Structure formats: C-alpha cells, structure tokens
C-alpha cells in the first residue's frame, strides 16, 4: 500500500474527507508543546476546520519532549494524517493538513526556541499532562530535578523551560505579543501556567518577567474529547479504508468541546467557527468537566483495575459500576459545584455516561489510571472539600478513594501492571511497609499533600478505611450490591 503524503493524496479513496486545499504558505503559526494523540485529535481538528473560514491559513509546529514516535511516523507523510471519529452510528475519516512539522526538543532545542520567537507565531498551545507543569500546590517546584538541572545550566527538557527560552528569544528579537493556551486537565490551567512561568522567569532574568507581563496572555481552557493511544490494528483498519498507509492515524469519539478564556493578545484561528466557545468564565466549565467526566473516568479505571478488566467500556457496562457512576455524577460531583449557566446537568451526565460506553473507541483502564497521585487531587479531593463545605456527605467520592487505595495494591504487586505513576516508588514502599494491612493513612497523605483539600484528610480517613475493609471482605461487585448498586 502506498504511504499517505502530498504526492499520493490524490489516490486516497472517497472515504477520506479533505477539508482544505493543501497550503504552501500559511500566514500564521501555532507552536504546540507536547504533540500527542490528544492534540492531534482536538486542537489540530479545530484548527483544520477554522482554516476553512476566512483567508488566513494557520499551521502548527508540534514539539515532542521525549519520544520521536509522532515525528518518525509523520515525517515521510509530509505531516498529513487521518483523524477517524467512531461510535455506534458509524465512522468517518478526516484529513488533517495543518501540521507543518514536528520538532524534537532534545534533538534541536534551538529550533524549538526559534519557532516560539518567530514573528509568524501568534499562539502557543500546550498539552503536557499534569506532571509537565513542574509545579507543586500551584507554584513552580524549584526542587524538581529537571528544573534544577536547567537552573544549573543543563540542557532544557521541561515545558516551562522550553517556553521561557522561546519567550526570551522573542523578547530579544523584538517580536512582540503572544497568546499561550494551556489545554491540560488542571483547574485554572492558564493561571497556573502563568504563575509557574513568571516565577521561573524571575529566577532567570527580571527583564524577561516584565516583558512577559506586558506581552503574553495566558488563557485557561476546558478541553474535552476521548482520544485513546493509537494501536497498529487501528492504524491498519483506517489505512485500508482510505486506501493509503497512514502510520500516524488517530481514532477518537465524535464528541469534542473546547471552551477558551477570551483573553487573546494576538489574532487566533477562527476556532469559534469550528465550534469552540470563547468566554470570560472558563472555570465553571473546567470544574464541571474535571469532576463529572475526569473524576468518574478515574473511578471507572480503578474499579476496572480491581476487576481485572482491560477497557473503560467493559467496566462501565457492568450494571453495578454504571449505577455507581450515575449516582456519583448526580449526587456528589454536580452538587459540589456551581453548574455553568445554560447547562442541563442531567443531560450532561448522561451524555458522558454514554461516551464512556463507546466500545468503538476502546480506552485502556491502565491509561486513565496512570498518574493517579497527580490526577485525583483535582478530580476527587477538590469535590470532597467542596461537599464538606456545603454540609453534604462525601460518600461515593470517599468510596472512590477506597477503590484507588486497593487498585494501587494491584498496581504495585502486579509485574504486568501498565499503570504508571510518578510516585510509584513511594506507593510501593508504603505497601511494603504495611505488610498485609491497608495503609490508608499513608496513601491518602500522598494525595492530600496537594493544595486541593487542605486539612481535610482527617475528616475522610476513617470513612475511606471502612470502605476499604468492606471492599476487601466482599469484593468490589459484592460490596456495591450490598450498598444498593445493582
Ligand atoms: C482521562 C482523560 O486519561 C485520563 O485521565 O480522564 O484523558 C479524558 O479522556 C479526557 O480529559 C477527555 O476529555
């Protein structure tokens, strides 16, 4: 089969939808830090659609921090790839042609900084996951190993470090304003990023800090789309359908949402024409999505790990788990926050439940269960704290912590476990020290060391221990049935 690229494109089957003519000279550019599947099936898709409106073409320069996987797959394809949306109602295949190139930070840091400084670059978008922000409790973690290395003159390997070097060059070259948009699942992601960047800039040079304050805007966003890691089988199926070999195809669900804080320092693509919402109040959308979708996603993932299920859709199709997820969404997650105006919360929850059930976009429990010590604070602890403030008992959110505690026992004891966590060593030694006991206090302390629920651990610990005892005695399904989830 011929490889998908600019010269073979005309031979693709009719299944491949080509939205825009291939551009040779886009006028404006986005630099994207952390080019994984999520970016390629989310912001890149919005940008591709936006390019269909107005005369200004936007291209994306992607940056990888470690792996050359995306660059290697796409280089010979002239950076063209397919995004395929799939659910019970069918599947489509869209060509994405706005990716200009992919740079590898360790290979060519100078090219990364120059692309951020380039006057054609108007926007920097970011998806580096929670751990990529090198922050602790919302401030720059100056003890972070890689930040320390950078401060001591070592090579730049972090997202904040790379962004700052690019901004420094932009300042020196006099190329002016830039809009920076964080697209990770962190509450107030734009403000967190701004703080980290300004604190870091101050350590590097004070001129840079004030230049950033005058020239760069940091927008918070809520991003939503379920995009699993690609598989060889998935790529093969998509290639067969479009009639060309695509080693960089991405499979995802049809649903996508992007709510962006209207705080732009520069022109931006017509993302609103492509379905994005620009607003002054992103926070309430972020909170709703982080708790109802991501919080419940984690609950399903850890339940699935305990049940030895592989996929999210398998676990959520168990009636007891489905009933539990429905109940936590409505009775705890939605009641822990102020629902944004105009959102029908029951409809929102049931749409998310049906998205979790989409077996055509199989998502590994281990993928969602990865990095739990960094995800659960904003997904589960923050709602617990808000429920306590509202005098609502955090029952199912506490049960989620109990399920996580036991799932971590599986993760640390099972040599085949695919669940990763930056605190895996600490989790392992806590379990080793506990012998056969369940070290609830020490494990919860790992989560509560974040800023999300200060002083709340004591209020919840006893309850989590009771849940762990019940779960250990009856097993997850038996326990859920015993408390009425059937
Ligand atoms: C998931 C998210 O892996 C995870 O932790 O909860 O990636 C989730 O699929 C997206 O946020 C959906 O928008």
């Amino acid at each position: 089969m011929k490889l998908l690229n600019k010269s073979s494109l005309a031979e693709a089957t009719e299944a491949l939808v080509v939205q825009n003519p291939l551009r040779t000279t886009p006028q404006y550019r986005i630099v994207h830090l952390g080019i994984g599947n999520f970016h390629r099936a989310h912001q890149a898709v919005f940008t591709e659609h936006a390019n269909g409106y107005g005369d200004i073409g936007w291209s994306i320069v992607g940056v990888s921090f470690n792996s050359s996987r995306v660059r290697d797959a796409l280089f010979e394809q002239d950076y063209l790839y397919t995004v395929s949306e799939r659910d019970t109602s069918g599947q489509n295949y869209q060509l994405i042609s706005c990716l200009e190139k992919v740079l590898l930070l360790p290979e060519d840091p100078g090219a990364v900084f120059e692309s951020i400084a380039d006057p054609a670059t108007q926007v920097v978008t970011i998806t580096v996951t929670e751990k990529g922000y090198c922050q602790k409790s919302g401030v720059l973690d100056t003890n972070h190993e890689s930040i320390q290395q950078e401060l001591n003159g070592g090579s730049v390997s972090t997202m904040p470090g790379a962004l700052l070097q690019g901004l420094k060059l932009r300042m020196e070259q006099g190329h002016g304003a830039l809009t920076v948009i964080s697209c990770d699942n962190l509450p107030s992601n734009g403000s967190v990023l701004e703080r980290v960047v300004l604190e870091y800039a101050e350590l590097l040079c004070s001129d840079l800090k004030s230049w950033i304050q005058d020239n760069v805007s940091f927008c918070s966003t809520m991003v939503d789309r379920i995009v699993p890691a690609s598989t060889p089988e998935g790529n093969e199926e998509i290639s067969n359908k479009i009639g060309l070999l695509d080693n960089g195809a991405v499979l995802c669900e049809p649903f996508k949402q992007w709510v962006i804080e209207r705080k732009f320092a520069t022109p931006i693509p017509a993302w609103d024409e492509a379905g994005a919402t620009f607003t002054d109040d992103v926070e309430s959308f972020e909170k709703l999505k982080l708790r109802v979708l991501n919080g419940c996603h984690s609950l399903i993932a850890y339940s699935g790990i305990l049940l030895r299920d592989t996929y999210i859709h398998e676990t959520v199709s168990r009636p007891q788990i489905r009933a539990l997820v429905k109940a936590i969404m409505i009775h705890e997650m939605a009641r822990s926050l102020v629902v944004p105006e105009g959102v029908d919360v029951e409809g929102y929850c049931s749409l998310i439940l049906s998205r979790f059930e989409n077996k055509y976009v199989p998502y590994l429990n281990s993928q969602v269960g990865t990095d739990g010590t960094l995800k659960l604070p904003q997904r589960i602890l923050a709602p617990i704290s808000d429920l306590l403030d509202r005098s609502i008992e955090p029952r199912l959110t506490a049960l989620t912590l109990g399920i996580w505690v036991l799932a971590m026992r599986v993760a640390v004891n099972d040599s085949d476990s695919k669940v990763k966590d930056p605190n895996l060593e600490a989790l392992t030694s806590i379990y080793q020290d506990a012998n056969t006991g369940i070290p609830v206090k020490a494990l919860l302390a790992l989560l509560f060391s974040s800023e999300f629920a200060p002083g709340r651990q004591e209020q919840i610990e006893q309850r989590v221990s009771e849940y762990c005892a019940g779960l250990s005695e009856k097993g997850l399904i038996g326990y859920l049935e015993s408390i009425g989830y059937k």
Side-chain angles (χ1 to χ4, degrees):
M1 193 182 282
K2 264 196 191 165
L3 192 66
L4 166 68
N5 56 29
K6 284 184 182 162
S7 36
S8 67
L9 183 60
E11 295 167 51
T13 64
E14 279 179 6
L16 184 66
V17 177
V18 180
Q19 302 163 74
N20 299 310
L22 300 184
R23 291 184 191 253
T24 41
T25 50
Q27 287 115 308
Y28 283 150
R29 185 182 292 131
I30 299 163
V31 172
H32 182 79
L33 304 180
I35 183 161
N37 274 19
F38 185 76
H39 168 74
R40 296 196 297 124
H42 188 274
Q43 300 100 59
V45 171
F46 277 93
T47 305
E48 187 75 28
H49 289 319
N51 275 344
Y53 297 87
D55 304 329
I56 297 174
W58 287 77
S59 69
I60 299 174
V61 171
V63 176
S64 291
F65 285 80
N66 303 305
S67 152
S68 63
R69 189 184 57 84
V70 175
R71 197 267 318 268
D72 295 348
L74 295 183
F75 178 72
E76 291 189 3
Q77 295 186 191
D78 301 322
Y79 299 102
L80 301 178
Y81 66 93
T82 313
V83 166
S84 179
E85 302 174 342
R86 188 173 174 201
D87 67 4
T88 38
S89 62
Q91 185 163 10
N92 62 32
Y93 306 84
Q94 304 167 21
L95 180 79
I96 302 300
S97 63
C98 58
L99 188 60
E100 186 184 322
K101 63 181 163 194
V102 176
L103 301 171
L104 214 58
L105 181 69
E107 209 173 81
D108 196 351
V112 173
F113 311 151
E114 274 158 30
S115 67
I116 295 174
D118 190 302
T121 299
Q122 303 288 314
V123 177
V124 171
T125 49
I126 300 173
T127 51
V128 289
T129 79
E130 295 80 351
K131 58 179 176 281
Y133 286 71
C134 308
Q135 54 104 14
K136 232 187 190 154
S137 302
V139 297
L140 177 72
D141 179 6
T142 45
N143 292 322
H144 190 289
E145 209 182 305
S146 310
I147 296 284
Q148 284 270 319
Q149 259 172 28
E150 291 179 1
L151 284 170
N152 293 328
S155 54
V156 174
S157 61
T158 68
M159 177 277 286
L163 180 56
L164 269 171
Q165 292 304 325
L167 293 176
K168 187 160 173 278
L169 200 60
R170 196 172 177 95
M171 172 184 81
E172 288 161 1
Q173 296 179 350
H175 290 152
L178 194 69
T179 299
V180 178
I181 305 180
S182 162
C183 303
D184 283 296
N185 287 320
L186 281 170
S188 310
N189 46 18
S191 320
V192 170
L193 178 65
E194 180 170 17
R195 184 153 177 192
V196 164
V197 165
L198 291 177
E199 281 166 356
Y200 202 173
E202 194 157 24
L203 298 177
L204 294 179
C205 92
S206 54
D207 282 1
L208 179 59
K209 182 180 174 190
S210 57
W211 182 85
I212 293 173
Q213 284 169 323
D214 293 343
N215 289 281
V216 182
S217 76
F218 293 86
C219 304
S220 287
T221 54
M222 182 271 254
V223 289
D224 194 3
R225 176 165 249 190
I226 291 178
V227 189
S230 302
T231 61
E233 305 76 53
N235 280 357
E236 193 181 321
E237 188 272 305
I238 293 170
S239 301
N240 285 336
K241 201 70 194 187
I242 65 164
L244 293 170
L245 178 62
D246 184 350
N247 292 316
V250 190
L251 177 70
C252 62
E253 61 170 344
F255 181 92
K256 65 178 186 319
Q257 190 178 12
W258 197 6
V259 182
I260 313 174
E261 186 178 13
R262 197 187 290 114
K263 202 177 156 194
F264 309 118
T266 57
I268 49 150
W271 286 322
D272 50 346
E273 298 284 0
T277 305
F278 299 156
T279 171
D280 298 322
D281 170 32
V282 178
E283 224 169 274
S284 58
F285 285 96
E286 277 184 322
K287 245 189 202 172
L288 180 71
K289 186 259 172 176
L290 263 171
R291 296 180 184 190
V292 175
L293 190 145
N294 297 110
C296 295
H297 224 183
S298 296
L299 165 60
I300 300 166
Y302 295 120
S303 302
I305 290 164
L306 276 186
L307 297 165
R308 306 288 202 275
D309 290 340
T310 307
Y311 294 111
I312 292 281
H313 66 83
E314 270 179 86
T315 306
V316 81
S317 71
R318 294 173 179 264
Q320 302 84 351
I321 304 287
R322 194 177 191 284
L324 171 69
V325 172
K326 217 173 151 182
I328 193 176
M329 281 178 170
I330 301 287
H331 299 309
E332 298 195 16
M333 295 308 191
R335 289 170 76 207
S336 72
L337 45 78
V338 179
V339 175
E341 237 180 59
V343 174
D344 153 29
V345 85
E346 294 218 0
Y348 184 78
C349 293
S350 62
L351 175 63
I352 289 177
L353 201 51
S354 69
R355 292 169 57 201
F356 289 155
E357 287 166 336
N358 182 357
K359 64 176 183 217
Y360 299 99
V361 180
Y363 206 171
L364 291 169
N365 283 319
S366 57
Q367 189 181 344
V368 179
T370 282
D371 292 348
T373 55
L374 299 185
K375 290 174 177 172
L376 292 189
Q378 55 274 22
R379 297 180 182 198
I380 307 295
L381 301 195
I384 287 180
S385 183
D386 289 341
L387 288 169
L388 289 169
D389 281 345
R390 293 167 182 224
S391 307
I392 301 170
E393 253 193 277
R395 288 173 49 242
L396 304 179
T397 33
L399 175 60
T400 305
L401 295 181
I403 294 173
W404 170 76
V405 163
L406 297 182
M408 286 306 98
R409 181 164 61 184
V410 176
V412 302
N413 288 327
D414 178 355
S415 53
D416 288 338
S417 167
K418 302 214 165 46
V419 180
K420 300 191 200 101
D421 197 293
N423 289 307
L424 198 61
E425 251 178 60
L427 291 164
T428 309
S429 75
I430 290 172
Y431 259 112
Q432 275 164 357
D433 292 349
N435 280 322
T436 53
I438 307 171
V440 173
K441 193 184 180 83
L443 288 176
L444 290 188
L446 274 183
L447 302 181
F448 279 90
S449 65
S450 66
E451 77 276 24
F452 287 95
R456 297 297 197 184
Q457 182 171 348
E458 292 71 35
Q459 277 167 281
I460 203 83
E461 209 169 276
Q462 178 61 24
R463 205 186 298 249
V464 177
S465 297
E466 284 162 18
Y467 283 131
C468 285
L471 290 165
S472 303
E473 188 198 324
K474 299 195 166 85
L476 176 56
I477 295 299
Y479 184 71
L480 291 179
E481 286 180 344
S482 77
I483 58 170
Y485 297 102
K486 296 188 177 157

